[in-house]
């Protein structure tokens, strides 16, 4: 968990490797903080990322790269849940697995937010991106590999 309500922000917070298994959430960022992870692996997790914030605090940026992302199919949650986080989430190079056939990216709140989903493969599953009125998204170089043609929407 990354948190702290002081508006003064300096320095760099990052991680090289993180294994998120059987945890809820694998990464929880509060108060619009920033963090970078270069190799974030999630298998059988309850939730990938939860981000919370406050529009009065400085904007943050979360950048996450990894190889595999699979949410436990029994977990009735969003893969990524953003609640009033002011800033950006940039995530990519994942292979999303079909344990959870619908990977939900959900943003709520009044704070401006941008999601960038890049270079990922959705194997027999697909993303569902739901953003609030101040949210925006960009998807770059992603691939859907589906076994049933009707799911190619």
């Amino acid at each position: 968990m990354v948190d702290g309500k002081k508006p003064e922000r300096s320095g760099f917070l990052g991680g090289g490797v993180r294994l998120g298994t059987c945890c809820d959430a694998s990464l929880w960022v509060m108060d619009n903080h920033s963090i970078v992870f270069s190799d974030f692996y999630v298998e059988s997790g309850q939730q990938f990322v939860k981000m919370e914030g406050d529009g009065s605090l400085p904007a943050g940026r979360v950048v996450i790269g990894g190889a595999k992302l699979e949410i436990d199919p029994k977990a009735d949650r969003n893969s990524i849940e953003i609640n009033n986080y002011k800033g950006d989430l940039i995530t990519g190079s994942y292979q999303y697995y079909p344990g959870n056939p619908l990977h939900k990216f959900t943003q709520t709140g009044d704070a401006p937010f941008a999601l960038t989903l890049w270079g990922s493969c959705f194997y027999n599953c697909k993303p569902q991106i739901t953003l609030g009125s101040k949210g925006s998204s960009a998807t770059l170089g992603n691939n859907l590999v589906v076994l049933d043609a009707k799911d190619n929407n």
Side-chain angles (χ1 to χ4, degrees):
M1 178 186 294
V2 180
D3 68 345
K5 291 193 180 282
K6 288 186 180 178
E8 298 82 22
R9 310 281 165 102
S10 64
F12 175 83
L13 179 60
V17 177
R18 166 77 166 108
L19 171 60
T21 58
C22 303
C23 47
D24 175 24
S26 296
L27 175 63
W28 193 350
V29 180
M30 299 175 69
D31 306 318
N32 304 344
H33 277 280
S34 299
I35 191 166
V36 175
F37 267 102
S38 62
D39 185 11
F40 198 113
Y41 181 94
V42 179
E43 184 173 320
S44 301
Q46 300 293 311
Q47 188 174 43
F48 175 34
V49 176
K50 186 172 190 170
M51 298 164 62
E52 297 178 345
D54 180 337
S56 68
L57 294 172
R61 178 172 291 142
V62 175
V63 180
I64 307 171
K68 179 181 181 182
L69 199 152
E70 184 170 29
I71 301 297
D72 183 346
K74 296 175 191 148
D76 187 22
R77 334 203 133 92
N78 299 313
S79 296
I80 294 178
E81 185 173 313
I82 297 97
N83 183 13
N84 213 36
Y85 181 92
K86 180 180 173 183
D88 306 305
L89 170 60
I90 303 164
T91 184
S93 72
Y94 277 99
Q95 179 160 335
Y96 291 81
Y97 277 79
N100 188 347
L102 190 60
H103 291 273
K104 298 175 187 174
F105 300 75
T106 303
Q107 181 258 341
T108 59
D110 296 326
F113 174 78
L115 168 67
T116 303
L117 181 61
W118 62 273
S120 294
C121 177
F122 290 84
Y123 176 74
N124 205 25
C125 59
K126 57 187 175 180
Q128 175 183 319
I129 299 171
T130 306
L131 302 172
S133 62
K134 300 241 178 128
S136 64
S137 69
T139 58
L140 308 164
N142 297 296
N143 187 26
L144 295 176
V145 178
V146 294
L147 301 179
D148 191 337
K150 72 176 175 50
D151 290 329
N152 243 344
N153 301 338

